[in-house]
Amino acid sequence: MAGMSEDQRGLLYLFEQPSRAIAFPRAAGSVVYDMPPEQMPPGMELAPRSGPSPGRTVVTVSPVDNLKDELGSALSIPKGAVFSVFLKQHRQAAKDLIACFLKRRSPAELRNVAANVHDMVNESLFVYSLSFVIIRRSDLRNVRLPPIYETFPSWFVPETTIAKAREEVSKQRYMPKTERIVVDHGLEFSGTDENPEHRVAYWREDYGINAHHWHWHIVFPAEIEIALHRDRKGELFYYMHQQMMARYDMERMSVGLGRVVKLDNWREPIPEGYFPKLTTGNSSLNWGSRPDGLSVKNLTRHRIRININEMEMWRDRIFEAIHLKKVVQEDGKEIQLTDDLDPDRGQKRGIDIVGDMLEADTRLSPNYTFYGDMHNFGHVLLALAHDPDGVHREEMGVMGDSGTAMRDPVFYRWHRYIDDIFQEYKFLQKPYTEDQLNFPEVSVDKVTVTAGLENNVLYTYFNMREIEASRGLDFDSDTPVIVRLTHLDHRPFKYHFQISNKSRSKVEATIRVFIAPMLNIRNMRMNFLEQRTLFAEMDKFQISLKPGKNIIERRDDESSITLPREFNFRNIERGEVYEDGTVAPPESDGSFCACGWPQHVLLPRGKPEGMPFQLVVMVTDWNEDKVNQPTPRACGNAASFCGILNGKYPDKKPMGFPFDRLPSDHPTNGPWMVEEYLGRFSNVSVTEINIKFSKKKIAEE
Ligand code: CUO
């Protein structure tokens, strides 16, 4: 624990076992929040006060006057219940709690108030709000957040595995103690293979994918004032979710499933149900389940009323705005919807406005009353389809929380629907001109990817990793309880780019790398129209090209979308160290860097016999892409998905360029293939690669 700063230590243990009263010791008894006697839980008032003792850290907590008044609606969500960022009332609760935390003048004051609040509010609301504040406050730049899967393991690990762990813990009472207890959660996911959707359960229920989604919604929350100025927030909502959909479709195609079909008729039964088998925390409340063939209904719960008619009205208005290319603001003024604007000059592109209108945020939406709250309400309708009027007192299903929603197949049906609205907008944008696509000074002569064996073959397999479940759940034991999870992974690989700069001087360039499968589910070659929305960003970076030939190498873990390393509780305790043992740079942007697509699912699974993909590499003029960025950022991981902390999105072009728009007409009216449409330019190369999946790890060479 020696490596931790006082701020880090004092804040870290507020995330440990969130359901357990703060007066109980943390970190196997080595850290104690010394609470004022009047704040001790009933029955603990007379417990011996935790004075200093060797090896024990005491965090003294003093009372805060009028705290209840400050908390406002933060007190309205019951403990143990699902806290949902998709519900307006819950967003208000988070807003109130965040305001209370942000008001504190120093990290020590924040720590003190947070310890006071810990037992008063919903656990998940507490973790969400405190995480948001730690990411945001510049005086906490070096404080790391523990991963959400260790704070709330019960959102990630099924009840049966946790029960198995409890059994192991109780056995140890009668047997010699081991240093740690390890239980496996292998490839058994929430269903069986008789349900075809279960073939991709390993991906939907991946700990990293769900943690990423939780983290992303904290970095880009709706409704919180301080986050309102995140650059191109609406557009990034579109792009990040569109890219996750592309990746999910690639995964489905890898296991022989068709692409996701949107949920566009809200009065028809939803074919796939979902039974999460998870609890919301130590309280053993279960996340709600949805049987196959259930339809959503109007919600008439005590504080949640959502009407499908109203949703349909909002939908029609949004389509009308897209087709008329203008939105009507609250004050009656109209604003144009077009992407032909420059956000670097403070102009808001249409896609950004459509994102704000759809997500939606009462402050950012151009007209919240008129265009409504479509995306968020959809999450809630689906999360409560099993008990719409609350008569069964059932909890929300996993669609209600950003940390669990991606487990449910209906998440993808809903987001395909949302993405199709964005695509409807994009269809109306002019195709990119040859000038916009070309960069004649540069030619991409050759691209190869290598993973140590053959060229242009990449390898995926199932790997394992451990999470320390006893950090989040109370097992009534000091022995660490570890759950070993199985997840998709890939052999590390490298890109080798051979690029010529045909001019006489140095050229600053942006290199964009995307992949998409070549064949559709019927094993036919896809043309550009069929393939376009499957292109997933793999990397994007800036480079100087000297005149003549340039050889550039780039590792997969340098990707512009991924978080290459994760912190866990234990690493943070040991000082600024990543899980793989490397030391984190002291000046990095702290927890903000924890946003990013998990490195282990950078590649789609592919097939045992190999699955052909096309790797598109496009070089553009960096001078046309660069933005005026006043403050350089120390941590550049995952900027394409997570933006830049307190800065502008680091690429002026529309997100997803050049795949975000339809192509120009084909000269002879035939369908464009990607190698024809983009490959005709010297600055683009299209390379066929193969991804091979094997259940076992392939030996490193
Ligand atoms: Cu991320 Cu619907 O926005 O889940």
Side-chain angles (χ1 to χ4, degrees), residues 469-488:
S470 46
R471 292 299 182 149
L473 290 169
D474 182 4
F475 287 91
D476 195 19
S477 162
D478 282 348
T479 311
V481 178
I482 311 293
V483 177
R484 197 152 46 205
L485 302 173
T486 302
H487 62 86
L488 186 70

Side-chain angles (χ1 to χ4, degrees), residues 117-130:
V117 168
H118 183 278
D119 296 354
M120 297 165 73
V121 298
N122 174 280
E123 301 84 341
S124 165
L125 164 69
F126 177 82
V127 167
Y128 176 90
S129 307
L130 189 57

Side-chain angles (χ1 to χ4, degrees), residues 490-506:
H490 62 268
R491 265 179 82 107
F493 64 91
K494 264 190 196 159
Y495 306 93
H496 308 264
F497 306 103
Q498 196 176 306
I499 299 173
S500 299
N501 169 3
K502 295 181 260 176
S503 74
R504 293 219 183 124
S505 46
K506 201 171 79 173

Side-chain angles (χ1 to χ4, degrees), residues 1-256:
M1 226 177 286
M4 275 196 292
S5 68
E6 204 183 322
D7 291 339
Q8 178 73 72
R9 187 168 30 236
L11 289 165
L12 178 68
Y13 295 106
L14 294 171
F15 290 88
E16 203 185 74
Q17 299 189 358
S19 306
R20 200 175 195 224
I22 194 69
F24 286 98
R26 273 39 210 167
S30 61
V31 174
V32 170
Y33 289 87
D34 189 12
M35 302 301 289
E38 60 277 15
Q39 302 240 5
M40 297 297 259
M44 280 189 74
E45 304 89 335
L46 301 176
R49 299 298 303 279
S50 41
S53 70
R56 168 180 274 189
T57 302
V58 176
V59 181
T60 307
V61 181
S62 44
V64 179
D65 292 338
N66 305 322
L67 188 54
K68 278 204 169 151
D69 300 340
E70 267 192 64
L71 291 176
S73 67
L75 297 167
S76 65
I77 309 172
K79 295 196 86 167
V82 173
F83 157 71
S84 174
V85 288
F86 304 116
L87 268 176
K88 216 166 115 191
Q89 297 93 323
H90 287 201
R91 294 202 294 268
Q92 181 61 43
K95 199 167 149 182
D96 289 349
L97 186 52
I98 286 169
C100 164
F101 287 159
L102 282 175
K103 247 170 52 189
R104 275 44 238 195
R105 279 163 305 183
S106 65
E109 224 186 283
L110 170 67
R111 194 171 63 219
N112 191 62
V113 88
N116 272 278
V117 168
H118 183 278
D119 296 354
M120 297 165 73
V121 298
N122 174 280
E123 301 84 341
S124 165
L125 164 69
F126 177 82
V127 167
Y128 176 90
S129 307
L130 189 57
S131 302
F132 176 86
V133 170
I134 291 175
I135 292 168
R136 282 281 140 182
R137 281 183 72 128
S138 53
D139 52 1
L140 295 176
R141 201 49 56 81
N142 285 322
V143 170
R144 307 279 167 190
L145 285 179
I148 190 69
Y149 42 83
E150 286 191 340
T151 303
F152 289 116
S154 65
W155 300 1
F156 297 85
V157 180
E159 261 176 295
T160 43
T161 307
I162 290 169
K164 203 160 103 195
R166 290 197 194 285
E167 211 179 296
E168 292 302 313
V169 172
S170 53
K171 273 191 211 158
Q172 286 228 336
R173 302 217 165 89
Y174 310 100
M175 285 157 56
K177 270 197 162 193
T178 52
E179 255 180 41
R180 42 189 229 147
I181 292 167
V182 182
V183 288
D184 270 311
H185 172 49
L187 283 170
E188 309 86 44
F189 297 99
S190 59
T192 66
D193 278 340
E194 281 158 68
N195 169 10
E197 292 297 313
H198 188 252
R199 287 188 223 157
V200 265
Y202 68 90
W203 196 92
R204 289 197 317 268
E205 295 177 11
D206 181 272
Y207 73 95
I209 287 176
N210 283 284
H212 159 69
H213 190 234
W214 181 82
H215 211 108
W216 190 91
H217 277 277
I218 283 207
V219 176
F220 295 93
E223 226 74 64
I224 315 284
E225 270 91 342
I226 190 171
L228 286 184
H229 305 296
R230 288 306 313 268
D231 188 41
R232 295 165 72 184
K233 177 174 177 282
E235 185 177 6
L236 196 49
F237 171 74
Y238 141 74
Y239 182 59
M240 205 288 292
H241 287 85
Q242 187 275 329
Q243 286 287 294
M244 294 201 306
M245 292 302 298
R247 289 179 165 276
Y248 184 55
D249 270 346
M250 293 205 273
E251 215 59 38
R252 294 178 68 86
M253 293 165 87
S254 300
V255 297

Side-chain angles (χ1 to χ4, degrees), residues 448-460 490-496 553-556 603 690 698-701:
T448 317
V449 284
T450 53
L453 300 167
E454 309 161 61
N455 279 354
N456 295 338
V457 183
L458 301 178
Y459 302 89
T460 61
H490 62 268
R491 265 179 82 107
F493 64 91
K494 264 190 196 159
Y495 306 93
H496 308 264
E553 280 200 349
R554 178 100 169 161
R555 291 192 323 268
D556 65 311
L603 281 183
N690 233 286
I698 302 155
E700 303 284 337
E701 287 208 330

Side-chain angles (χ1 to χ4, degrees), residues 562-591:
T562 61
L563 178 69
R565 299 181 194 88
E566 298 153 19
F567 286 104
N568 61 25
F569 259 95
R570 208 156 281 271
N571 310 138
I572 299 172
E573 275 175 344
R574 289 181 188 149
E576 302 275 301
V577 177
Y578 291 116
E579 250 185 69
D580 63 2
T582 54
V583 177
E587 292 309 315
S588 61
D589 284 345
S591 295

